Amino acid sequence: MLKLHLEDSLAPEGWRFDGRRWWCGASWVEPFAHPAIEHVAFVARQPRRAVLIVREVATGQPQMTTYRQSVSSTGYQRMLDQAEQWPLHAMRVEVTDGQPVRITCGPRGVAPLYLRATHGRLDASWDVLDLNPDPGDLDEREVAAYLAYRPRYSTTTVFRGVHRLTERATASWTPTGGLALTYPEPALHSLPRILRDDADPVAAFTGLLRQEITARPLTADQCAVELSGGMDSTMTALAAAEAVGPARTAALLLGGPAGAQQTRRRNQISERAGLGPDVTVPVEDCAPFRSGGRRTNGRPWSPLDGTYAEAMSELYACLRDAGVRWVLTGVGGDELCFQRPEERARSGDPWNLRPIPGHLGPQARRHIPHLTEDLAPASVLHASTVASVGVHSATAMRHGLWPISPLATPLILRFAESLPHAWRRNKHLMRRLLERAGYSAEVAHPPVPENFTTICENAMRHHGRPLLESWLPDLRLAKSGLIDAHQLTTQCASVATTGRGASELYRPLALEASLRALTAACP
């Protein structure tokens, strides 16, 4: 939710706002320009210090209308305490005489900050591309984790010089000492409980969702809900319809029988809930690595972006052009109904873990045993949720949209964790809500799986594989030992012959394409 550039020593009382950025000498901080975001600087003289607070606007809270306020030491501490208790997402930049600059963030993971310290300067942004990452300076362990589908949540990224400010963490920086990142204490989580006889989990869940959405002053004409028709997005859509009104709906549309079912289900949900106009993009038209897309025309793009970045960018551009400013998502729903390992063992539900790809090179394979080392401590939200929120945030914000993910919030996760296993398994809580609301069996229990698996398979078979094969003689990842070129060549040939397993080519191609585009863009 902010970008910054810091250099030299900063005078706490020197911050001034010019309508876009806060300036202090040659240093600046730029809050995300959006009606969802407010910001203010508080300055105290004894000792000399300042704090810049950037946060989501909250319903019922006095908005910060004075850009810079001088306060006493007592008032300054009170402002810090209030910032700590802010109910929505917030970040702080603190400058104190004789102390490192401190940057802190909350637990929600929205718009995570990426940082790069070089030559006595610190640059940070919610968009990693702003930091001009060096495609030739890769963190091998992070690359191995990416290629092996073993996600890591920590301060490191695939670029060695670029760091992530993880949830509740603190970044400290001085021109001479550089950057240091400090993790918080591990977050505590709830265990399942026994429900009282009169307990109504559906009503409680509905109330919490409505509470989360109404925590922001939203209007239906500037909101859209990503309504794919899946359980997670449907929960968000129903709550938004009740709390905000007839907001627009938006979705990437599938093809074939799954797409026909998706359309029927979306129509029923939208009509019964009283939602507004619909914006859709056929995902096949913007499939990964389709000719003319961002990842085939040489423009820089981030390897941290999602698989369907082209399609999501097209959808968000349509929403922006329709006047939408806030987009509500279903991110976090899968983790909300997370089953513990012992629960899966009792129920017999398998834990689906991808095998290590055969095309990993020796430099990647040597890191596989160490992928669980040096991770961030337990986060308030599940680490996979925080990571997903971060990916979603960057794509939305590049199009001027502010994302809201009601299912990815501490209070709702704590409620779900407290539910007995039976209410979480197979998303029983969500299906029960739909049944109670009178939706058809096709909405509550869709017979045809609706996912993008076939889209990725087709895209890699028809668009990705030929591109990857053309690069194989000069594959950068192979030269660094992170990919085994012989194994990948064999895999490409197998896909060409059998038409199966094409999606396994996605990650090596995605990373290779990103590195090539970033190299071409380097001055």
Side-chain angles (χ1 to χ4, degrees):
M1 63 198 319
L2 61 83
K3 302 179 181 183
L4 62 78
H5 170 81
L6 305 181
E7 56 181 273
D8 302 325
S9 298
L10 303 177
E13 70 278 10
W15 291 99
R16 295 291 185 276
F17 187 66
D18 69 358
R20 178 188 174 197
R21 290 174 170 172
W22 287 89
W23 287 90
C24 182
S27 299
W28 52 262
V29 176
E30 181 181 325
F32 183 53
H34 194 282
I37 305 302
E38 62 182 14
H39 48 92
V40 70
F42 293 104
V43 179
R45 293 186 176 180
Q46 294 296 332
R48 291 202 313 163
R49 50 184 178 169
V51 59
L52 172 60
I53 299 172
V54 183
R55 66 192 186 192
E56 278 190 273
V57 175
T59 302
Q61 299 284 347
Q63 284 195 244
M64 293 195 263
T65 55
T66 302
Y67 281 126
R68 183 176 182 272
Q69 298 182 25
S70 295
V71 294
S72 65
S73 294
T74 302
Y76 185 90
Q77 188 58 51
R78 184 169 62 251
M79 293 302 105
L80 287 183
D81 293 342
Q82 290 178 359
E84 286 279 358
Q85 301 302 318
W86 193 249
L88 299 176
H89 191 49
M91 289 186 174
R92 302 200 309 268
V93 180
E94 299 176 58
V95 179
T96 303
D97 265 354
Q99 299 293 326
V101 176
R102 285 167 42 92
I103 306 169
T104 55
C105 65
R108 292 178 176 243
V110 185
L113 204 61
Y114 296 95
L115 309 104
R116 186 179 187 186
T118 54
H119 309 300
R121 300 179 178 182
L122 177 67
D123 291 284
S125 176
W126 52 262
D127 188 344
V128 72
L129 293 178
D130 289 335
L131 304 183
N132 298 315
D134 184 352
D137 191 16
L138 299 179
D139 185 298
E140 291 185 348
R141 182 167 59 177
E142 291 297 323
V143 172
Y146 174 84
L147 294 173
Y149 292 90
R150 300 295 191 272
R152 288 170 43 83
Y153 185 61
S154 73
T155 58
T156 55
T157 70
V158 294
F159 302 108
R160 276 204 301 182
V162 177
H163 302 274
R164 179 194 295 111
L165 184 64
T166 56
E167 59 92 44
R168 298 178 299 129
T170 299
S172 302
W173 174 84
T174 64
T176 55
L179 176 67
L181 294 159
T182 306
Y183 285 133
E185 291 296 314
L188 300 178
H189 285 261
S190 299
L191 291 172
R193 303 179 185 181
I194 298 173
L195 294 181
R196 287 174 21 179
D197 292 340
D198 61 347
D200 189 346
V202 171
F205 180 51
T206 302
L208 289 173
L209 276 176
R210 184 171 57 250
Q211 175 182 323
E212 177 61 30
I213 293 174
T214 57
R216 304 163 178 85
L218 304 176
T219 58
D221 60 317
Q222 291 190 309
C223 286
V225 184
E226 290 181 18
L227 178 59
S228 67
M231 288 295 114
D232 308 333
S233 67
T234 300
M235 295 301 102
T236 298
L238 297 184
E242 183 179 348
V244 179
R248 293 177 184 271
T249 54
L252 302 180
L253 294 184
L254 302 168
Q261 175 185 272
Q262 179 193 27
T263 298
R264 291 192 302 271
R265 297 173 72 246
R266 292 185 73 248
N267 287 342
Q268 184 182 154
I269 294 163
S270 184
E271 290 171 6
R272 288 182 63 89
L275 288 161
D278 197 23
V279 177
T280 59
V281 169
V283 68
E284 209 43 277
D285 293 351
C286 304
F289 293 99
R290 191 179 181 91
S291 178
R294 178 170 185 169
R295 289 189 276 192
T296 58
N297 63 13
R299 291 166 56 196
W301 61 279
S302 170
L304 306 178
D305 287 346
T307 305
Y308 303 98
E310 294 96 331
M312 290 303 301
S313 290
E314 180 67 22
L315 184 66
Y316 285 159
C318 293
L319 290 177
R320 176 198 60 211
D321 294 344
V324 171
R325 301 304 306 276
W326 284 264
V327 58
L328 290 94
T329 87
V331 172
D334 288 339
E335 294 85 353
L336 201 65
C337 294
F338 174 79
Q339 295 187 71
R340 300 172 181 278
E342 64 273 16
E343 292 171 336
R344 286 186 175 275
R346 288 197 301 268
S347 62
D349 294 337
W351 183 264
N352 296 319
L353 188 64
R354 283 176 178 259
I356 299 297
H359 53 246
L360 258 63
Q363 288 300 100
R365 289 188 177 277
R366 73 185 184 90
H367 290 287
I368 296 299
H370 307 290
L371 296 185
T372 58
E373 299 172 5
D374 306 318
L375 297 177
S379 47
V380 172
L381 301 174
H382 290 296
S384 55
T385 300
V386 180
S388 296
V389 168
V391 170
H392 224 81
S393 300
T395 307
M397 292 168 69
R398 288 178 191 137
H399 292 85
L401 306 177
W402 181 253
I404 301 171
S405 301
L407 300 176
T409 54
L411 185 60
I412 292 179
L413 175 61
R414 184 172 182 178
F415 162 77
E417 287 178 330
S418 300
L419 291 176
H421 177 223
W423 281 92
R424 286 177 282 113
R425 187 185 182 197
N426 195 30
K427 299 190 177 180
H428 175 74
L429 172 68
M430 300 180 182
R431 299 183 197 279
R432 186 70 189 92
L433 188 157
L434 292 174
E435 292 168 349
R436 182 180 295 185
Y439 286 93
S440 69
E442 187 177 47
V443 171
H445 303 274
V448 180
E450 297 175 11
N451 55 53
F452 293 147
T453 301
T454 301
I455 300 295
C456 189
E457 274 287 312
N458 291 338
M460 290 301 101
R461 186 164 61 247
H462 297 300
H463 313 301
R465 178 191 56 80
L467 179 61
L468 186 57
E469 285 183 326
S470 71
W471 287 344
L472 277 170
D474 190 37
L475 204 67
R476 295 166 183 263
L477 292 171
K479 290 179 179 179
S480 59
L482 294 164
I483 285 289
D484 184 320
H486 175 72
Q487 289 290 336
L488 194 56
T489 301
T490 301
Q491 195 168 2
C492 286
S494 175
V495 169
T497 303
T498 67
R500 296 192 299 271
S503 60
E504 292 299 315
L505 304 176
Y506 170 76
R507 289 217 168 175
L509 173 60
L511 185 54
E512 179 75 15
S514 176
L515 298 180
R516 286 170 178 256
L518 290 171
T519 300
C522 286

